[in-house]
Amino acid sequence: MIETIDLVKRYGDHTVLKGITTEIRDGEQVAIIGPSGSGKSTFLRCLNCMEDATSGSIIFDGVDIADMSVDINLHRRHMGMVFQQFNLFNNKTVLQNIMLAPVTVAMSDRRKIRREAFFVRLANLFRRNKKPVPDYGKTPAQIKEEARANALRLLAKIGLTEKADVYPSTLSGGQKQRIAIIRALAMNPKVMLFDEPTSALDPEMVGEVLSVIRELAEENMTMVIVTHEMGFAREVASRVLFMDDGLITADGTPEEIFGNTENERLRSFLSKVL
Amino acid sequence: MEDFALKWAGFWEKFAVGEAWKRVLGVGLVNTLVIALSGLLIGIVIGTLIAAVKVMPKYKRLPRALDRLCTLYVGFFRGTPIVVQLLIAYYILWPLLGFYADSLYTCIIVFGLNSGAYVSEIMRGGILSVDPGQMEAGRALGLSYGVTMLKIIVPQAVKNILPTLGNELIALVKDTSVVSFVACVDLYKTFTEIGNRSYEYMIPYLFMALMYIVIVALITLLIRFVERRLRKSDRNH
Ligand SMILES: Nc1ncnc2c1ncn2[C@@H]1O[C@H](COP(=O)(O)OP(=O)(O)O)[C@@H](O)[C@H]1O
Ligand SMILES: [Mg+2]
């Protein structure tokens, strides 16, 4: 699904990622653990090019998205991202938050088809063998209605239907983060990236967010989670990466990572957090 | 005091009985408000565009070129008095370009361009005051920089800077008092016309000052009202 080859990220003369080669496979739930400052967030943010890699490749769906000439927006549609600070759109209601991207993207695709159709029609005026005019697909009303129905279905799934029309400022942290998750899901992503999704939450709200992520994992959603919740990583992840000083220094099943490991740094890290 | 009463009577004679008020309100006041308001609207559009360029990431060549262009633009419009800009447009630019523009349109265009330079600075501050996480969230969903800017960042920025925009409107209203330099009839011009009839300017100009004060006070009230509404909507939602 996502493959990084010798991924390097530098800020000035500070090298944060020192050449990471790994692969996130289809259907895997990968947890990334490691001391703070080790480059976990940076690595995750490179996966969907929120940070541009200094060198190396990121192959997503067979395309090197680290190449600056690809249209990154097209690829990001298929990668959901959830932030520590939720980042719901403050000027939109919950429902609008969820619908915005699906509607905008579908409408812009539709405009593209209309443009093509216009030129086909124009060319057809001079052609003997008329080419078929591309179909516009759904009407704007249909696009919106579908996005709305999907948004409401997702809201119902996390039990927040009654919050559809409120603004984010009235929600609790846990509610915000659950909505941020389904906002990403509304785009039908192939992979979900979580950057410490529960670190900004009050302890009593951590559980509700983790259970939404757990459910996703059970549906076999491919995901990468940077987390400090070791218990959760152990339970949900199919694979755990340990990052230390810009490199992945341990990579294995939860049993291998949390069991008796040879890796001195990993052992000392685990002894501190467990 | 007797003198003042006499002057007042003379003014009132022309203003009320001689129906000069029709021109003051119907032409002078209308033009003043039209120039200030359309100037602000155009200014908001131009200012938003400039501000968007200013905050754009600058790795590529095009944003950098645009940025330099905007710096020149803002430098020119903030670096010269608006009267000079009006004169340049009306007496130099239009004749050079070979088209005739009515003086009211000239004023609207120049005030819009001028206000764009000031609003761009206000708007830049407004955009920078929006949490960067908002842009990240939009981009992560696959929305383009432009769409995220337009639908997410700018609306929040505008809300943050609405009071400051109100101050810009007040400044514009006061600045319009120079438009008679390019033969546009505003409040100042209509009161001067009244004075010209008897070479008696004291009361007309006092009355004019009063009218400016009232307009500014009304705009201030409007800003307060909008601010209160916004604060309330923050709490309710
Ligand atoms: N935008 C940035 N500019 C400069 N340095 C950065 C930036 N983002 C992160 N860093 C540095 O990169 C290192 C790794 O950061 P990060 O990926 O956030 O670590 P983690 O998520 O593992 O705590 C840190 O030393 C941090 O200071
Ligand atoms: Mg981090």
mmCIF file of all heavy atoms in Angstrom, chain A residues 11 14 16 35-42, ligand 1:
data_model
loop_
_atom_site.group_PDB
_atom_site.id
_atom_site.type_symbol
_atom_site.label_atom_id
_atom_site.label_comp_id
_atom_site.label_asym_id
_atom_site.label_seq_id
_atom_site.Cartn_x
_atom_site.Cartn_y
_atom_site.Cartn_z
ATOM 1 N N TYR A 11 15.486 19.248 8.496
ATOM 2 C CA TYR A 11 15.101 20.651 8.715
ATOM 3 C C TYR A 11 16.385 21.425 8.896
ATOM 4 O O TYR A 11 17.058 21.248 9.905
ATOM 5 C CB TYR A 11 14.244 20.804 9.966
ATOM 6 C CG TYR A 11 12.863 20.210 9.866
ATOM 7 C CD1 TYR A 11 12.531 19.067 10.575
ATOM 8 C CD2 TYR A 11 11.895 20.802 9.062
ATOM 9 C CE1 TYR A 11 11.262 18.522 10.497
ATOM 10 C CE2 TYR A 11 10.623 20.261 8.979
ATOM 11 C CZ TYR A 11 10.315 19.121 9.694
ATOM 12 O OH TYR A 11 9.065 18.601 9.606
ATOM 13 N N HIS A 14 19.417 19.812 10.629
ATOM 14 C CA HIS A 14 18.974 18.797 11.585
ATOM 15 C C HIS A 14 18.281 17.670 10.823
ATOM 16 O O HIS A 14 17.225 17.870 10.251
ATOM 17 C CB HIS A 14 18.025 19.455 12.592
ATOM 18 C CG HIS A 14 17.452 18.508 13.594
ATOM 19 N ND1 HIS A 14 18.133 17.425 14.084
ATOM 20 C CD2 HIS A 14 16.234 18.500 14.198
ATOM 21 C CE1 HIS A 14 17.367 16.786 14.953
ATOM 22 N NE2 HIS A 14 16.215 17.414 15.033
ATOM 23 N N VAL A 16 16.089 14.698 10.661
ATOM 24 C CA VAL A 16 15.085 14.101 11.539
ATOM 25 C C VAL A 16 14.836 12.643 11.161
ATOM 26 O O VAL A 16 14.739 11.774 12.022
ATOM 27 C CB VAL A 16 13.777 14.902 11.473
ATOM 28 C CG1 VAL A 16 12.719 14.258 12.361
ATOM 29 C CG2 VAL A 16 14.018 16.336 11.911
ATOM 30 N N PRO A 35 10.526 7.155 21.635
ATOM 31 C CA PRO A 35 10.645 8.344 22.488
ATOM 32 C C PRO A 35 10.237 9.608 21.739
ATOM 33 O O PRO A 35 10.281 9.643 20.506
ATOM 34 C CB PRO A 35 12.134 8.390 22.845
ATOM 35 C CG PRO A 35 12.823 7.435 21.953
ATOM 36 C CD PRO A 35 11.815 6.492 21.406
ATOM 37 N N SER A 36 9.847 10.628 22.464
ATOM 38 C CA SER A 36 9.400 11.846 21.792
ATOM 39 C C SER A 36 10.600 12.540 21.168
ATOM 40 O O SER A 36 11.706 12.503 21.710
ATOM 41 C CB SER A 36 8.634 12.727 22.767
ATOM 42 O OG SER A 36 9.440 13.747 23.230
ATOM 43 N N GLY A 37 10.378 13.103 19.981
ATOM 44 C CA GLY A 37 11.479 13.714 19.249
ATOM 45 C C GLY A 37 12.205 12.734 18.346
ATOM 46 O O GLY A 37 13.149 13.106 17.650
ATOM 47 N N SER A 38 11.754 11.477 18.314
ATOM 48 C CA SER A 38 12.466 10.480 17.515
ATOM 49 C C SER A 38 12.067 10.545 16.037
ATOM 50 O O SER A 38 12.655 9.865 15.206
ATOM 51 C CB SER A 38 12.204 9.082 18.063
ATOM 52 O OG SER A 38 10.821 8.808 18.052
ATOM 53 N N GLY A 39 11.033 11.334 15.707
ATOM 54 C CA GLY A 39 10.657 11.508 14.308
ATOM 55 C C GLY A 39 9.406 10.756 13.899
ATOM 56 O O GLY A 39 9.110 10.644 12.707
ATOM 57 N N LYS A 40 8.617 10.287 14.877
ATOM 58 C CA LYS A 40 7.405 9.527 14.551
ATOM 59 C C LYS A 40 6.410 10.375 13.758
ATOM 60 O O LYS A 40 5.918 9.967 12.705
ATOM 61 C CB LYS A 40 6.724 9.025 15.841
ATOM 62 C CG LYS A 40 7.613 8.206 16.739
ATOM 63 C CD LYS A 40 6.882 7.724 17.975
ATOM 64 C CE LYS A 40 6.368 8.832 18.887
ATOM 65 N NZ LYS A 40 7.441 9.613 19.522
ATOM 66 N N SER A 41 6.113 11.569 14.282
ATOM 67 C CA SER A 41 5.151 12.438 13.583
ATOM 68 C C SER A 41 5.683 12.814 12.215
ATOM 69 O O SER A 41 4.938 12.809 11.229
ATOM 70 C CB SER A 41 4.896 13.708 14.379
ATOM 71 O OG SER A 41 4.357 13.394 15.625
ATOM 72 N N THR A 42 6.943 13.135 12.151
ATOM 73 C CA THR A 42 7.527 13.535 10.877
ATOM 74 C C THR A 42 7.392 12.408 9.855
ATOM 75 O O THR A 42 7.010 12.651 8.709
ATOM 76 C CB THR A 42 9.010 13.906 11.062
ATOM 77 O OG1 THR A 42 9.104 14.884 12.099
ATOM 78 C CG2 THR A 42 9.599 14.462 9.790
HETATM 79 N N1 LIG C 1 8.806 22.062 11.248
HETATM 80 C C1 LIG C 1 9.945 21.692 11.903
HETATM 81 N N2 LIG C 1 11.040 22.472 11.850
HETATM 82 C C2 LIG C 1 12.179 22.120 12.498
HETATM 83 N N3 LIG C 1 12.310 21.008 13.233
HETATM 84 C C3 LIG C 1 11.255 20.191 13.339
HETATM 85 C C4 LIG C 1 10.011 20.496 12.685
HETATM 86 N N4 LIG C 1 9.132 19.507 12.961
HETATM 87 C C5 LIG C 1 9.792 18.638 13.751
HETATM 88 N N5 LIG C 1 11.058 19.041 13.981
HETATM 89 C C6 LIG C 1 12.073 18.336 14.784
HETATM 90 O O1 LIG C 1 12.115 16.998 14.350
HETATM 91 C C7 LIG C 1 12.315 16.127 15.440
HETATM 92 C C8 LIG C 1 11.287 15.020 15.407
HETATM 93 O O2 LIG C 1 10.040 15.556 15.630
HETATM 94 P P1 LIG C 1 8.711 14.682 15.600
HETATM 95 O O3 LIG C 1 8.624 13.972 14.330
HETATM 96 O O4 LIG C 1 7.588 15.586 15.962
HETATM 97 O O5 LIG C 1 8.988 13.651 16.783
HETATM 98 P P2 LIG C 1 7.936 12.748 17.553
HETATM 99 O O6 LIG C 1 6.621 12.829 16.872
HETATM 100 O O7 LIG C 1 8.556 11.390 17.520
HETATM 101 O O8 LIG C 1 7.898 13.277 18.943
HETATM 102 C C9 LIG C 1 12.280 16.958 16.691
HETATM 103 O O9 LIG C 1 13.589 17.162 17.144
HETATM 104 C C10 LIG C 1 11.683 18.265 16.239
HETATM 105 O O10 LIG C 1 12.247 19.331 16.955
#
